[in-house]
Amino acid sequence: MAFAFVKSVAMFLIVLNFSMYVIVAAIAGWALNKAIDHNYVTGPGGSVPAGFSFSPVFFPVGNEATGFLVIFSLIAAVVGAGSCLSGLHHLRVWTAESLASSASAAMAAWGLTLLAMGLACKEINIHGRRPKLITLESFLIILSGTQLFYIMLIHAGFFGGKYYSYRDTYTTTTTAEPQKGGVPPSSV
């Protein structure tokens, strides 16, 4: 009963985190596109003024911290979405080996999300941002908590005793007694 509850809550958190990471990637992608369109004049007759250089940390849609926030948010969103896919695989097979890969991907995504959340807090402190960036900051703060809760949940499920390793399943299937009339397994 408790095992099914842990898996269902973990599935809910994976779906929630995945959808939130997609939203973070969309908003950060919008801000990056806005900065590129603002700094470059493209099309026929468009030329870059002399002495003009594109700064990857200058964004016309926010304040001084926006450039760093957008770049790290995009990285965190991509890694986070990948960790959610790894988490889906872990929920499907639910073995100790899949826990290792899922937990390591989730911890890497959580670390990057914490970094982006710190930059979001800095941007909040500076002031002067658009509502879309406020939404991005809010999602990053919420994601840092839900990702941590997901990591704790899958590790707590490990101590419930429901995990089996591939080695355990291999030994139970190969050491069975031969049936009557069957050939005993050869020793290798």
Side-chain angles (χ1 to χ4, degrees), residues 4 14 18 33 35-36 57 66 71 79 84 88-89 91-92 97 102 104 108 157-158 176 185 188:
I14 287 174
F18 184 76
N33 186 39
I36 290 172
V57 294
T66 303
I71 291 169
V79 173
C84 291
L88 285 175
H89 172 70
L91 286 180
R92 188 178 62 82
E97 288 83 5
S102 176
S104 63
F158 178 74
V188 179

Side-chain angles (χ1 to χ4, degrees), residues 56-143:
V57 294
F58 172 73
F59 279 68
V61 293
N63 54 34
E64 293 83 13
T66 303
F68 295 108
L69 172 70
V70 168
I71 291 169
F72 282 104
S73 295
L74 278 171
I75 295 169
V78 170
V79 173
S83 76
C84 291
L85 296 177
S86 175
L88 285 175
H89 172 70
H90 171 62
L91 286 180
R92 188 178 62 82
V93 295
W94 201 260
T95 61
E97 288 83 5
S98 67
L99 171 68
S101 64
S102 176
S104 63
M107 284 186 207
W110 181 58
L112 289 169
T113 305
L114 283 178
L115 182 61
M117 185 204 66
L119 291 166
C121 291
K122 182 64 177 177
E123 189 179 48
I124 290 169
N125 191 26
I126 294 175
H127 299 292
R129 59 213 193 275
R130 288 189 177 184
K132 286 185 182 179
L133 293 176
I134 293 172
T135 305
L136 178 67
E137 297 158 0
S138 303
F139 273 94
L140 287 170
I141 292 169
I142 293 167
L143 265 171

Side-chain angles (χ1 to χ4, degrees), residues 95 97 163-177 185-188:
T95 61
E97 288 83 5
Y163 279 95
Y164 301 102
S165 69
Y166 291 125
R167 185 175 184 187
D168 292 340
T169 56
Y170 176 74
T171 17
T172 57
T173 57
T174 57
T175 59
E177 293 291 324
S186 62
S187 59
V188 179

